[in-house]
């Protein structure tokens, strides 16, 4: 808008100033021509001298045409300066005319007036550089003013828009922070008095959510506790019975074996359920330790299965990584346990570094995982064909679901692929630069307040 206003101003001022200037100069030339007309009827010896006496103080020059000859007021002016069309209009057609020209880069106005009485014509050339300088100063200041107002408008606009949108931005950050597991995030109500409804609704929602999740977590841990103590009693009683196994009759011995299998399975189930429900509640915080990749893998694998070959490139061994050791151990333990159960043990643990990620692969030479099961076995309570085979023990179908959740909490992922012609290869990919669960906002700082945990 300011650009448009500036152009309109400039062009209307320019046209009116030029018109005024031209009309006053035209009158001046006509006046001189009239005076000359009188003088020319007498005998005049020196035309240039006569003409020079009429030149205005503003530095105009003149040229007289008389009987096929040209007489300039100063030697710098010649007939060649006159535009051809103007000259022929004045000299041949006997009509007054004017035209702006540019000589040596200076704008000039040429006015031609015929003097019919003595068969002559009078041309006067005016210097227009003053007007043109004034107009260019005007143009410069208008362009500057337009630029300043446009920039100012843009700044004020963006400041106003960002101010108006800040509460929404903060609410979005707070929502992201809650989604990332920080349930005690709240919006500050004092900051936005006019958005009190939004803030209080948001905070109430967050309160309810937090209460609910905390209740669920309490419930899970209560259930776990309540289940554990009878289970422990059962297990103790069973071990008493098992100690006297030989004294029991055949049928009771078989019943005892069945019972201890089921109790072991039940214990595992309770442990796995507890672990996965804690993961769901987002309770498992990520405790990052800085360790070298080599010691991490050796330590973790060694704790579960001593005799697995570890394949690691030499430059990766000394690489320092930030990782949650407990979660990493849970991942590796589950994968090695599966390999032992379903594939007769892992044959190799391979560590590879690929740009910003580290890849851990647990390989075996067992039956492998059929393509249609490769996705499904990571679901909860889902067991594959090899899991349903007899003699594979007390699986719950939760192991790989737990692995998935831990990998996600570390910002990575897990999948299975065939290990060459035979066997399975479970791959865990973790980012080298760890920044928590993937849904945690990585940057940006919500203007929010954290409430102390209840
Ligand atoms: N190394 C493996 N080789 C073949 N199948 C496997 C292997 N590891 C896991 N599976 C399949 O994935 C299923 C799910 O594993 P998991 O979630 O650990 O549960 P669970 O071990 O309790 O059955 C298993 O039942 C099995 O069919
Ligand atoms: Mg398992």
């Amino acid at each position: 808008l300011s650009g448009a206003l500036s152009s309109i101003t400039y062009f209307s001022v320019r046209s009116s100033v030029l018109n005024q200037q031209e009309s006053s100069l035209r009158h001046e030339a006509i006046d001189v021509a009239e005076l000359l007309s009188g003088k020319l009827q007498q005998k005049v010896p020196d035309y240039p001298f006569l003409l020079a006496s009429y030149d205005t103080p503003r530095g105009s020059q003149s040229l007289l045409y008389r009987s096929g000859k040209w007489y300039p007021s100063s030697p710098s002016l010649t007939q060649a300066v006159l535009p051809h069309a103007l000259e022929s209009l004045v000299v041949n057609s006997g009509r007054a005319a004017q035209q702006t020209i540019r000589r040596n880069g200076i704008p000039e106005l040429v006015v031609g007036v015929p003097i019919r009485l003595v068969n002559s014509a009078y041309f006067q050339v005016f210097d227009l550089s003053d007007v043109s300088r004034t107009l260019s100063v005007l143009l410069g200041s208008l362009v500057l003013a337009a630029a300043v107002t446009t920039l100012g408008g843009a700044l004020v606009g963006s400041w106003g828009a960002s101010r108006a949108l800040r509460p929404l931005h903060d609410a979005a950050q707070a929502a992201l922070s809650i989604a990332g597991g920080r349930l005690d995030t709240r919006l500050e109500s004092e900051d936005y008095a006019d958005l009190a409804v939004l803030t209080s609704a948001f905070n109430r929602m967050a309160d309810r959510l937090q209460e609910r999740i905390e209740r669920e977590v309490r419930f899970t841990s209560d259930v776990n506790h309540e289940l554990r103590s009878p289970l422990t009693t059962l297990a103790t009683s069973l071990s008493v019975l098992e100690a006297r196994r030989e004294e029991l009759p055949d049928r009771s011995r078989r019943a005892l074996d069945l019972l201890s299998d089921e109790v072991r399975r039940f214990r595992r189930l309770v442990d796995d359920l507890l672990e996965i429900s804690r993961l769901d509640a987002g309770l498992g915080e990520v405790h990052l330790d800085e360790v070298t990749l080599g010691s991490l893998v050796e330590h973790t694998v060694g704790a579960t299965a001593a005799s697995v070959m570890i394949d690691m490139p030499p430059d990766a061994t000394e690489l320092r990584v930030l990782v949650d050791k407990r979660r990493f151990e849970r991942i590796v333990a589950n994968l090695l346990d599966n390999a032992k159960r379903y594939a007769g043990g892992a044959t190799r643990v391979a560590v590879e570094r690929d740009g910003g990620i580290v890849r851990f692969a647990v390989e075996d030479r067992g039956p492998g995982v059929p393509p249609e099961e490769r996705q499904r076995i990571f679901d909860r309570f889902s067991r594959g064909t090899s899991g349903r085979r007899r003699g594979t023990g007390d699986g719950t179908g939760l192991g790989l679901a737990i692995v998935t959740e831990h990998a996600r909490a570390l910002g990575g992922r897990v999948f299975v692929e065939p290990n060459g012609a035979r066997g399975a290869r479970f791959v865990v990919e973790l980012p080298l630069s760890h920044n928590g669960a993937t849904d945690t906002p990585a940057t940006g700082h919500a203007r929010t307040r954290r409430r102390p945990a209840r």
Side-chain angles (χ1 to χ4, degrees), residues 265 268 272 334-346 362-370 373 376-389 392-403 416 423-426:
R265 199 176 114 78
R268 249 184 82 110
D272 285 355
N334 266 298
L335 293 180
L336 289 175
D337 177 61
N338 279 352
K340 197 160 112 197
R341 266 170 212 275
Y342 309 115
V362 176
E363 298 174 358
D364 63 50
R365 292 262 164 231
V369 182
E373 288 180 10
R376 198 171 52 76
I377 51 169
F378 291 92
D379 292 345
R380 291 169 188 197
F381 298 110
S382 165
R383 311 197 65 201
T385 18
S386 30
R388 286 191 291 267
R389 211 168 285 149
T392 53
D394 49 359
T396 59
L398 285 173
L400 290 177
I402 289 173
V403 169
V416 63
R425 178 179 146 97
F426 284 82

Side-chain angles (χ1 to χ4, degrees), residues 198-421:
L198 173 73
T199 349
S200 80
F202 184 93
N203 287 344
R204 208 159 57 230
M205 175 201 73
D207 282 342
R208 298 291 279 275
L209 196 67
Q210 186 176 15
E211 263 166 40
R212 205 167 161 154
I213 289 176
E214 283 169 357
R215 198 163 56 221
E216 237 164 63
V217 170
R218 258 196 319 272
F219 176 73
T220 322
S221 83
D222 290 351
V223 166
N224 182 57
H225 185 75
E226 294 299 322
L227 283 176
R228 262 185 187 201
S229 30
L231 259 177
T232 317
T233 321
L234 260 180
T236 329
S237 318
L238 265 176
S239 55
V240 173
L241 278 180
E242 268 163 355
R244 296 169 166 262
R245 194 169 179 272
E246 298 310 316
E247 298 166 21
L248 295 174
D250 247 10
R251 284 186 59 181
S252 311
R253 215 182 293 165
R254 269 204 302 281
L256 177 64
D257 288 347
L258 271 178
L259 192 59
S260 36
D261 274 355
E262 283 304 300
V263 167
R264 208 174 318 126
R265 199 176 114 78
F266 197 24
R267 273 190 114 158
R268 249 184 82 110
L269 184 63
V270 169
D271 286 345
D272 285 355
L273 269 178
L274 180 76
E275 184 169 359
I276 208 157
S277 64
R278 289 178 69 84
L279 282 166
D280 280 351
L283 278 184
E285 282 169 16
V286 178
H287 298 284
L288 295 178
D289 289 314
E290 200 186 324
V291 285
T292 60
L293 200 54
S295 71
L296 173 76
V297 175
E298 253 153 49
H299 182 83
T300 328
V301 173
T304 40
S307 60
V308 178
M309 180 175 93
I310 298 174
D311 217 346
M312 195 177 331
D315 62 320
T317 320
E318 285 311 311
L319 196 67
R320 300 196 74 78
V321 287
L322 266 183
V323 77
D324 185 328
K325 283 198 281 194
R326 195 188 56 87
R327 287 179 186 271
F328 187 74
E329 264 162 35
R330 295 296 300 139
I331 292 176
V332 173
N334 266 298
L335 293 180
L336 289 175
D337 177 61
N338 279 352
K340 197 160 112 197
R341 266 170 212 275
Y342 309 115
T347 51
R348 190 173 89 116
V349 171
V351 182
E352 293 151 18
R353 186 183 165 187
D354 183 357
I357 59 175
V358 189
R359 204 173 283 135
F360 300 92
V362 176
E363 298 174 358
D364 63 50
R365 292 262 164 231
V369 182
E372 67 277 8
E373 288 180 10
R374 281 181 200 150
Q375 195 94 43
R376 198 171 52 76
I377 51 169
F378 291 92
D379 292 345
R380 291 169 188 197
F381 298 110
S382 165
R383 311 197 65 201
T385 18
S386 30
R388 286 191 291 267
R389 211 168 285 149
R390 281 174 64 86
T392 53
D394 49 359
T396 59
L398 285 173
L400 290 177
I402 289 173
V403 169
T404 308
E405 293 297 334
H406 281 308
R408 212 210 313 263
L410 294 177
R413 64 176 190 137
V414 56
F415 58 89
V416 63
E417 57 189 20
N419 182 25

